[in-house]
Amino acid sequence: MVLPRSLRPAPGARHGRRGGAGRLVAGGVAGVVVAMSTAGGLVAPAQASYAAADEGDREPLSVTIESLTPGELPRSGPIEVSGTVTNVDDETWTTVNLYPFLGDTALTTPADLSEARRTPVRDFVGARVTDPGPYATIETLEPGESADYSFTVARSRLDVDERGVYWFGVHALGQDAAGRDLNADGRARTFLPWVGGEDRSLPVSVVVPLRKRVLHDAQGRVAGLESWERALAPGGALTELVDLGAGADDASLTWLVDPAVVDAASRLAAGNPPRSIEPTIDPADPDAPDGDQTDPTGTPGADDSPVAPETDPAPEDADPTAPGPTERSTVPPRLDEEALSELDPEAEQLARDAGDWLDALGAAVRPGSQVLALPYGDLDVAAAARLSPELYRSARRRSGSELEGVELSTSPALASPLGFLPLETLAEAREDETILLTDRMLDGQRAVDPLPTVVSVDHRTVVLSSSGAADGGPGPGDRLSTLALRQRVLSEAAVRLLDTGRRSPLVLTLPLGWVPDGDGTAFFEGLGTSWVDLDTVAEATAGRRPLPVDPDELRYPDSQLEAELGPTDLAAVTELVEAGQHLQDLLTYNDRVGSVVSATAYPTASFLTRPARAAALRSARTATDDVRDLLGAIEVSAPPGVTLSSASGRLPATITNNLDQAVTVRLDARSDQPMTLRVPESIEIGPESSTTVLLGATTEQQGVHNVTLVLTDVNDVPLGDVDVVPIRAAQVSRVIWLIMGAGAALLLGAIVVRLVRRVRAARASSRAQPAQPDQPDQPQPDATQEQA
């Protein structure tokens, strides 16, 4: 039976070592009504409240409830309770008797539950059930020692007459050197709902978030391996969340996933290789279709630029909110047993744990579940919506429509870790995105209890997650233990179900950083009552008419605004994404490295990097420098000077590829003086080789022309290397040629005139001589004869 309140001892009836001088009666002690002095008068409260003089003064016995079956007051049958008792005192305790207790007042609203959760540990919240008793006994507990307990309570011992939620818990009463009294020396408390013969059910959706800070080193390897080892090992945060979801069995769950987390696990399962620039296109058949190049509708060969490339404008009737193309596969293949064995022991274990986690995730997401994908890297969309909307859109496209490595289809969603998003983000959201916010954004704005679950803000449908359910149960134990959280969810569902108004569905997004401490099967079995209908978010909110909410009613805390990333953080992401795309455009046979680089870029501007923005910014910048070093490995050189001997000529330029992969480049030539320069359309250069190209140059202006040679990718984006060549134009102009021609004509004319004059003079001389008579031919005398 329940001990009558008249038998409850007065506070201080026993003064002992426990609890300090004048130990006050702890909550749950079999009863007394006391007079409390307040404001100079005496007040007799209906329910006595005994607050400890020092809330930090812990009780000597720490009690937990680790199992409570069922999670509600049943119509019939017993309740099974089990847990542990730990001696946190410095003395031995003996004959520790355990009793259940039950509250005598029903909590009927979410506000009641929130207020009850804040009830001080030593306040009286329920009368102890002592018949039969004790329900369990622990004979001896040495200092620091723990012992398990378990017992059952008959339903007939738990008498309630009003539907609602009741306090329920366990008291531990022991004996120490000072003896024994009726005050509890340790207690555990939780909530226990009672809905009676309710024949309706309430849709309840549990959202399991898979979020983690993801950073990489300069070469693209996953960084922070110690944290990944902890998260993916048995008992780790990510592993426990997946195990929890697996315990849902056939119940419908909603998974909220950052695709970057899955990709990082895939990279770890592959041995955490660095970024690769090796061919992803067969050089022997570069036009062969790639099976991985698909858009969300399955069309092969979709464009995958992480930042929207300059393309032909979309048709005027195109839907601007339609899903963009997905990224090409960036997940490296897992290592086989032989390759795993070649890793060092730590890397091998991490690769195995990552592979096991991916397999477990694929198995845990059962048919009927909903997988919501965040913008890639869990991008700080609150900051991006204000400072760089295109960055948000490109991160959304990067998420695609499937989780690689586990082959799970996804739908887009927006949700911050704490549930707060500014109006600018809602305005940027796509029509097909599920928007999850915390109902705390309406706190103090609407006198509604419970707050609505589906609202409309500027014609955008928003789902509000219950902050009360995420707060967990009351102390003194772990308020977010798996059982405490389960009982709070059940209690929130019960008060909504019993509400005669809207009966809003309950959506719980598991708290940030929460790690289950128990069996996931027990968690969902406890939720598996006849009046709880476990659904996905989509199913739970389907057909619900959104309650219009004025944007001015939404509360975006100043602390959230101050925590947002800044323009420098977002610019670093954009620079890295663009550098990766330029590298992909440079490589002749690799069409995926841009996606690989973008996978390292977006997570550096994540919600989860807000507390570590310096390290994240450093990660983005070192990766950008590394990619730019690759771009700078292509060099151009030309002779120190060139002279044109005519109006046109050739300029030789040598392009050297210092990479071990083939590249395709263009050469942009610009002159500071009027000059026409002709360059090849594109130039392909093999690995670690060079080639010389001849550029045509034409000019009509004499003098020195400084020609700048700039290497670019196939989209005319400069790669970084530049050479300047002075070209001397020494050719003669057309005027000079005319003058020279005229001079030549005059010279030729002078020669002709002189020749004519000579001919005429010769003829005139011939006519002036007299004629001689003809004489016969006679022999001429020789010289001796003439002298004689």
Side-chain angles (χ1 to χ4, degrees):
M1 67 178 182
V2 177
L3 194 66
R5 293 187 180 183
S6 60
L7 297 181
R8 298 172 187 165
R14 177 172 181 116
H15 301 285
R17 176 188 53 75
R18 295 164 285 170
R23 177 173 177 263
L24 299 178
V25 181
V29 171
V32 65
V33 176
V34 297
M36 300 181 62
S37 173
T38 61
L42 295 178
V43 178
Q47 177 174 308
S49 176
Y50 310 126
D54 180 8
E55 281 296 316
D57 191 11
R58 65 183 182 184
E59 296 172 315
L61 300 179
S62 175
V63 184
T64 67
I65 301 175
E66 297 179 358
S67 175
L68 180 64
T69 307
E72 61 172 329
L73 273 170
R75 297 185 184 182
S76 61
I79 292 180
E80 299 178 1
V81 186
S82 64
T84 63
V85 180
T86 302
N87 181 2
V88 294
D89 201 4
D90 54 3
E91 294 193 17
T92 300
W93 285 78
T94 60
T95 319
V96 179
N97 296 326
L98 295 130
Y99 302 86
F101 73 85
L102 184 72
D104 54 7
T105 302
L107 309 172
T108 58
T109 67
D112 290 344
L113 294 174
S114 295
E115 182 63 28
R117 183 183 179 276
R118 293 190 290 268
T119 301
V121 170
R122 297 181 184 274
D123 276 18
F124 171 79
V125 295
R128 189 180 306 147
V129 179
T130 60
D131 184 18
Y135 280 75
T137 299
I138 299 172
E139 295 299 334
T140 304
L141 276 178
E142 300 292 339
E145 184 180 6
S146 295
D148 296 331
Y149 74 86
S150 63
F151 58 80
T152 60
V153 186
R155 175 62 178 84
S156 59
R157 305 292 181 188
L158 305 174
D159 186 22
V160 296
D161 55 9
E162 181 184 359
R163 297 196 301 172
V165 176
Y166 292 85
W167 283 100
F168 180 81
V170 176
H171 285 169
L173 289 80
Q175 179 174 312
D176 67 350
R180 175 186 297 276
D181 59 22
L182 294 179
N183 301 323
D185 301 300
R187 76 206 66 234
R189 308 182 302 177
T190 189
F191 296 134
L192 193 65
W194 163 243
V195 299
E198 183 62 57
D199 57 359
R200 295 166 298 177
S201 63
L202 186 84
V204 175
S205 179
V206 177
V207 180
V208 182
L210 297 180
R211 317 173 93 137
K212 187 184 185 307
R213 185 183 301 160
V214 180
L215 293 178
H216 300 78
D217 66 14
Q219 288 75 41
R221 300 181 187 87
V222 178
L225 297 185
E226 291 184 0
S227 69
W228 285 98
E229 290 169 356
R230 292 191 297 270
L232 296 174
L238 291 176
T239 298
E240 287 297 313
L241 285 171
V242 169
D243 289 346
L244 176 80
D249 200 12
D250 294 330
S252 297
L253 287 184
T254 296
W255 300 81
L256 182 66
V257 185
D258 173 11
V261 173
V262 179
D263 284 359
S266 298
R267 186 162 289 276
L268 293 172
N272 200 18
R275 174 178 55 247
S276 172
I277 60 173
E278 293 183 357
T280 57
I281 299 173
D282 184 1
D285 189 8
D287 296 326
D290 186 344
D292 290 331
Q293 299 178 24
T294 57
D295 66 9
T297 61
T299 306
D303 179 29
D304 71 323
S305 300
V307 176
E310 295 182 2
T311 57
D312 294 334
E316 293 183 0
D317 59 349
D319 181 5
T321 64
T326 188
E327 296 285 324
R328 292 183 175 94
S329 172
T330 61
V331 176
R334 293 194 199 178
L335 301 181
D336 56 24
E337 283 297 322
E338 181 179 355
L340 281 171
S341 63
E342 294 176 356
L343 299 175
D344 65 74
E346 290 185 359
E348 178 185 357
Q349 187 59 55
L350 180 55
R352 292 185 184 277
D353 287 343
D356 291 344
W357 183 80
L358 291 168
D359 292 338
L361 175 60
V365 182
R366 294 182 172 84
S369 294
Q370 182 181 18
V371 182
L372 298 176
L374 295 162
Y376 198 89
D378 201 2
L379 183 74
D380 186 348
V381 293
R386 301 180 194 275
L387 304 173
S388 182
E390 176 53 36
L391 185 61
Y392 150 67
R393 289 189 284 270
S394 63
R396 166 53 63 206
R397 289 193 296 271
R398 180 65 181 79
S399 287
S401 59
E402 183 177 286
L403 293 178
E404 295 185 67
V406 288
E407 287 75 45
L408 294 174
S409 297
T410 65
S411 55
L414 285 180
S416 74
L418 297 181
F420 294 98
L421 288 175
L423 289 174
E424 291 89 341
T425 302
L426 305 188
E428 288 293 332
R430 288 188 346 199
E431 289 293 337
D432 61 337
E433 284 183 299
T434 299
I435 303 175
L436 275 173
L437 301 179
T438 174
D439 58 14
R440 284 199 171 99
M441 290 195 70
L442 290 180
D443 275 0
Q445 303 295 327
R446 303 182 65 89
V448 178
D449 192 17
L451 291 168
T453 301
V454 185
V455 298
S456 175
V457 183
D458 278 346
H459 308 292
R460 296 305 310 270
T461 299
V462 175
V463 178
L464 298 180
S465 180
S466 170
S467 59
D471 282 342
D478 183 358
R479 297 172 184 266
L480 286 175
S481 70
T482 302
L483 184 131
L485 190 64
R486 185 196 78 183
Q487 292 305 113
R488 182 64 185 271
V489 173
L490 275 174
S491 300
E492 291 282 343
V495 296
R496 289 171 183 252
L497 180 67
L498 300 178
D499 179 28
T500 57
R502 297 179 307 276
R503 295 191 179 90
S504 296
L506 176 66
V507 174
L508 164 69
T509 301
L510 295 177
L512 176 65
W514 181 74
V515 180
D517 61 1
D519 184 4
T521 301
F523 179 86
F524 287 103
E525 284 181 350
L527 296 179
T529 68
S530 61
W531 46 273
V532 168
D533 185 10
L534 280 173
D535 286 327
T536 64
V537 169
E539 293 169 340
T541 59
R544 298 278 173 173
R545 179 181 297 176
L547 184 67
V549 172
D550 191 304
D552 292 337
E553 293 186 53
L554 294 180
R555 181 177 67 93
Y556 187 65
D558 291 340
S559 60
Q560 290 294 303
L561 181 61
E562 294 170 359
E564 290 178 7
L565 297 178
T568 301
D569 307 294
L570 301 182
V573 176
T574 301
E575 290 174 6
L576 179 53
V577 172
E578 290 177 347
Q581 188 60 42
H582 298 336
L583 179 60
Q584 178 171 306
D585 293 338
L586 171 68
L587 297 170
T588 307
Y589 301 113
N590 188 310
D591 62 350
R592 300 189 185 183
V593 70
S595 295
V596 174
V597 172
S598 71
T600 68
Y602 297 112
T604 64
S606 166
F607 279 109
L608 300 183
T609 61
R610 286 177 172 182
R613 63 183 67 195
L617 183 60
R618 186 165 54 251
S619 172
R621 286 177 171 172
T622 56
T624 302
D625 290 343
D626 188 79
V627 174
R628 286 176 176 168
D629 287 344
L630 295 176
L631 297 175
I634 316 302
E635 301 173 345
V636 60
S637 61
V642 175
T643 299
L644 298 182
S645 60
S646 63
S648 61
R650 295 293 183 91
L651 167 63
T654 301
I655 302 175
T656 303
N657 174 18
N658 295 308
L659 297 178
D660 59 359
Q661 301 298 326
V663 299
T664 301
V665 298
R666 288 181 178 174
L667 196 57
D668 183 12
R670 306 167 188 173
S671 174
D672 62 350
Q673 300 290 336
M675 175 176 282
T676 301
L677 296 164
R678 296 180 299 280
V679 297
E681 181 66 21
S682 63
I683 307 155
E684 182 174 336
I685 312 168
E688 298 178 339
S689 61
S690 62
T691 186
T692 299
V693 296
L694 295 176
L695 286 67
T698 302
T699 183
E700 295 180 356
Q701 180 174 324
Q702 293 190 58
V704 177
H705 299 64
N706 290 315
V707 175
T708 302
L709 301 179
V710 180
L711 273 176
T712 74
D713 63 19
V714 293
N715 291 322
D716 297 324
V717 177
L719 299 177
D721 197 42
V722 175
D723 197 5
V724 178
V725 184
I727 298 180
R728 179 176 297 278
Q731 71 275 17
V732 182
S733 67
R734 293 180 180 177
V735 176
I736 298 300
W737 282 114
L738 289 174
I739 295 173
M740 293 176 65
L746 290 174
L747 178 61
L748 181 61
I751 293 172
V752 171
V753 169
R754 187 172 183 179
L755 290 174
V756 170
R757 287 177 177 176
R758 285 184 176 181
V759 171
R760 288 179 178 176
R763 289 178 179 175
S765 175
S766 174
R767 288 195 295 268
Q769 294 179 359
Q772 299 292 332
D774 295 334
Q775 295 181 4
D777 292 336
Q778 296 181 5
Q780 295 294 327
D782 58 18
T784 57
Q785 291 176 345
E786 188 174 355
Q787 291 176 358

